[in-house]
Amino acid sequence: MFERFIQLNSALGLSIQINMDNSVDLSACKIQRHKNRLDFVKKISGLKSLNDVGDYFSNEPNIALNLNGKGVLHKQVENTPVLTPLQFAQSFPGANMNDFYIQNFRSGLKSFISVIRKTEADRWIMLCKNHGLNPLIISLGPFPVHMITPQLNVYGDTLLFDGHLIKRNADLDWESYQYERESRSPFPLKIENEVLEEQLLLAYSSAFQLLFAHFADTVQARVPQLDEEFKLLISRKRTTVTVLAALGACFLLLIINSYVLWAINSENRKLNSRVSRSVFGSREHAALAGLIKSKEAQLQELGWNGQYNKAALIDQLALSLPNEVSWNELTINPVDVSGSRNSQQLLFEDSNIRIMGSSKRIVPVNNWISELEKLSWIKMVKLESYTYDQESETGQFVLKINF
């Protein structure tokens, strides 16, 4: 339930076209997520150096870098999920696979393999960081555009923008690609209702895929350093969201418990005052005893157990929660459905915690159970159920903890 809070709130797409004379043309587009809407923050084209970019954007933590032109090679092959060294050698004779960062864009029956030397890509990454720009992913060529084509006012089998000519089949799968520097779109391009210069299309599509990189398949070259930095960023956001949710739950429980205690103590003070002011006979004493028992029964019905600091228990559970596991609901002393039905009164499962959550795999859940069993106050941990939903590609589990 917290996945939408883990997404990045904004992203800057930076497209660099490297010309044969080593000059560059740069375009930059920053977009921001606001609930279910994407807004353009700023878009600039026709820049000639990273210094120019720094004049408009500085200290940007979320950058999607796109490189085109000199030094970037493309090869069209049959659709291949994983490019093997043999296939690489056949596609790029004489090249050493370990010297390149590789991007594999799969569309229909085709794979478009794009490569760039690691030294060249690392140089651009370092230059960006020196100008206060922190790339998180890097893509090659025009292929990130495929993620935003449903938003474009292009309906035929040909997509032409800023020199990039893409042919598609009836299913809109890519059939071929070629670069013609002087070619331009025959009509203005629009993203929804926003007119966008065609030089900005790659910058926008790069920023767009970065915003949704944690949830969708992206077109990017695998750069271990950037992959690790992105995973660390998402992990930090997930931890922050989880801790805030746990603190919110603790605060709510404390408010409820405080109110219940205040109400019961207030009633008890009233009863004590009546006892101190009056002399009761046996009938009055019996009535008072019955009232006290009634209040004790109310405490029992509320599932109150004062010997544990429930906020501390929830905090320990949250701290041990793995990154791949999210909880959706936590209940302390949940309602005993079967017992309540049989006895015709509300009963609670005392000293029990029930957690409902989700995980794409059951292994992290089992690892979490192993960690929970190490806590001294936990007597038993039981996985009551784990159900995998093919449509959402995630599993729902129910965990029961006895303490």
Side-chain angles (χ1 to χ4, degrees), residues 10-18 24-31 40 42-69 72 103 116 121 123-145 161-162 164 196 198-211 219-220 226:
S10 64
L12 173 63
L14 178 60
S15 175
I16 302 177
Q17 174 69 39
I18 309 167
V24 294
D25 297 306
L26 298 94
S27 301
C29 179
K30 183 175 182 179
I31 56 178
F40 286 92
K42 186 180 294 185
K43 45 187 187 291
I44 304 292
S45 63
L47 303 178
K48 295 300 180 181
S49 72
L50 284 173
N51 287 326
D52 296 336
V53 177
D55 293 338
Y56 295 96
F57 306 94
S58 60
N59 298 322
E60 289 288 344
N62 307 324
I63 302 294
L65 181 61
N66 178 267
L67 298 176
N68 298 281
V72 180
Q103 173 183 286
I116 186 173
R123 183 176 71 87
W124 281 109
I125 293 171
M126 186 56 63
L127 285 172
C128 287
K129 290 187 176 182
N130 291 341
H131 286 80
L133 307 171
N134 184 42
L136 291 178
I137 63 175
I138 183 171
S139 57
L140 307 174
F143 307 103
V145 168
F161 68 95
D162 195 28
H164 302 284
L196 193 67
E198 54 190 283
Q199 293 86 350
L200 288 168
L201 208 58
L202 274 177
Y204 169 73
S205 60
S206 299
F208 181 88
Q209 75 168 1
L210 177 56
L211 276 186
V219 181
Q220 65 180 103
L226 301 188

Side-chain angles (χ1 to χ4, degrees), residues 106-330:
R106 300 166 61 201
S107 182
L109 300 177
K110 306 289 175 54
S111 275
F112 296 84
I113 308 299
S114 304
V115 300
I116 186 173
R117 286 192 176 275
K118 293 180 178 180
T119 52
E120 179 68 8
D122 291 341
R123 183 176 71 87
W124 281 109
I125 293 171
M126 186 56 63
L127 285 172
C128 287
K129 290 187 176 182
N130 291 341
H131 286 80
L133 307 171
N134 184 42
L136 291 178
I137 63 175
I138 183 171
S139 57
L140 307 174
F143 307 103
V145 168
H146 105 98
M147 288 192 69
I148 64 163
T149 48
Q151 305 174 37
L152 286 171
N153 59 328
V154 177
Y155 308 103
D157 59 1
T158 300
L159 175 59
L160 174 62
F161 68 95
D162 195 28
H164 302 284
L165 178 60
I166 298 153
K167 293 287 187 179
R168 301 180 294 177
N169 60 23
D171 296 325
L172 300 183
D173 294 325
W174 290 35
E175 287 291 321
S176 65
Y177 162 70
Q178 63 185 45
Y179 181 71
E180 300 175 356
R181 180 179 174 83
E182 303 302 326
S183 299
R184 294 294 181 266
S185 174
F187 51 85
L189 295 176
K190 291 184 179 180
I191 299 293
E192 304 295 345
N193 295 321
E194 180 88 14
V195 177
L196 193 67
E197 296 178 47
E198 54 190 283
Q199 293 86 350
L200 288 168
L201 208 58
L202 274 177
Y204 169 73
S205 60
S206 299
F208 181 88
Q209 75 168 1
L210 177 56
L211 276 186
F212 300 96
H214 185 52
F215 307 97
D217 292 332
T218 58
V219 181
Q220 65 180 103
R222 291 302 172 186
V223 181
Q225 173 190 350
L226 301 188
D227 290 345
E228 190 62 31
E229 290 180 6
F230 183 72
K231 289 178 182 178
L232 184 60
L233 174 64
I234 294 300
S235 177
R236 285 198 298 263
K237 289 178 69 68
R238 179 183 287 111
T239 300
T240 300
V241 170
T242 302
V243 170
L244 289 176
L247 290 176
C250 293
F251 182 70
L252 180 61
L253 286 174
L254 288 174
I255 291 177
I256 294 173
N257 289 341
S258 298
Y259 175 77
V260 172
L261 285 175
W262 174 84
I264 293 174
N265 288 333
S266 178
E267 289 295 321
N268 285 337
R269 284 194 296 270
K270 291 178 182 179
L271 291 174
N272 289 332
S273 178
R274 291 178 186 176
V275 172
S276 64
R277 292 195 308 264
S278 306
V279 178
F280 295 92
S282 59
R283 182 178 299 174
E284 288 79 7
H285 280 293
L288 180 59
L291 186 57
I292 292 174
K293 289 183 178 180
S294 174
K295 299 301 180 183
E296 292 175 347
Q298 291 180 19
L299 282 174
Q300 184 66 28
E301 290 179 356
L302 289 170
W304 169 252
N305 186 342
Q307 68 185 44
Y308 287 98
N309 184 338
K310 297 181 177 62
L313 302 188
I314 296 174
D315 186 55
Q316 292 185 46
L317 295 177
L319 287 175
S320 63
L321 187 70
N323 290 339
E324 297 177 76
V325 178
S326 300
W327 73 33
N328 303 331
E329 179 179 325
L330 182 146

